[in-house]
Amino acid sequence: MSMTDPIADLLTRIRNAVQAGQTSTEIPGSRIKAQIVGILRSQGFIRGYEVRPGDKGQDRILVDLHLNEGEGEILNGLKRVSTPGRRVYVGREDVPKVLNGMGIAILSTSKGVVTDEEARRLGVGGEVLCEIW
């Protein structure tokens, strides 16, 4: 199966696992997906993750999810913003705030994959990959 939007696939797999009450989910790996789950981990939305070598040279990312309240941020929503068919770029003045700072936007910038807060701190804009809250 060819995947047209691997980031949307990542978000969908995490969303489905959370809704199904699973403790973890496995995702086909890539550098950008590892950077995104790294941000989810640093922001407390997931418990952790592990990149494992898979068959045919394709890494797998095992994502450890929070199951109950009090362990960290509970993932209420994940939204893909920029898609392969409709790219969404913002300048440094227009970096979005998600739910008045209650959520995060993840951007791909010249300084790497960063949160909206980090992009504002670095004074850079970029492609808005997704919003998490």
Side-chain angles (χ1 to χ4, degrees), residues 30-41:
S30 75
R31 190 181 311 132
I32 192 153
K33 288 192 230 175
Q35 291 170 322
I36 291 170
V37 293
I39 289 174
L40 292 179
R41 169 69 192 98

Side-chain angles (χ1 to χ4, degrees), residues 2-133:
S2 87
M3 204 179 311
T4 54
D5 191 352
I7 294 172
D9 176 68
L10 162 81
L11 299 176
T12 300
R13 286 176 192 238
I14 291 175
R15 185 184 308 113
N16 290 348
V18 167
Q19 285 173 341
Q22 295 174 337
T23 54
S24 66
T25 184
E26 196 174 70
I27 298 153
S30 75
R31 190 181 311 132
I32 192 153
K33 288 192 230 175
Q35 291 170 322
I36 291 170
V37 293
I39 289 174
L40 292 179
R41 169 69 192 98
S42 69
Q43 298 294 314
F45 285 106
I46 61 174
R47 192 181 296 145
Y49 71 99
E50 186 185 339
V51 178
R52 295 181 172 163
D55 49 332
K56 301 186 205 100
Q58 167 87 39
D59 285 348
R60 309 286 301 166
I61 301 172
L62 189 66
V63 180
D64 245 352
L65 303 166
H66 291 300
L67 253 175
N68 43 22
E69 311 268 342
E71 277 194 27
E73 289 287 328
I74 300 301
L75 266 170
N76 292 313
L78 305 105
K79 183 177 127 204
R80 182 74 160 113
V81 176
S82 195
T83 63
R86 190 182 69 91
R87 299 284 185 198
V88 177
Y89 296 96
V90 293
R92 65 173 174 235
E93 311 79 32
D94 304 316
V95 171
K97 247 192 168 29
V98 180
L99 298 181
N100 290 325
M102 298 294 288
I104 61 168
I106 297 178
L107 290 85
S108 176
T109 71
S110 56
K111 306 265 194 247
V113 177
V114 297
T115 64
D116 53 341
E117 198 177 298
E118 182 82 350
R120 278 191 285 277
R121 200 177 59 71
L122 294 167
V124 295
E127 183 181 356
V128 185
L129 299 177
C130 56
E131 295 178 347
I132 316 286
W133 66 93

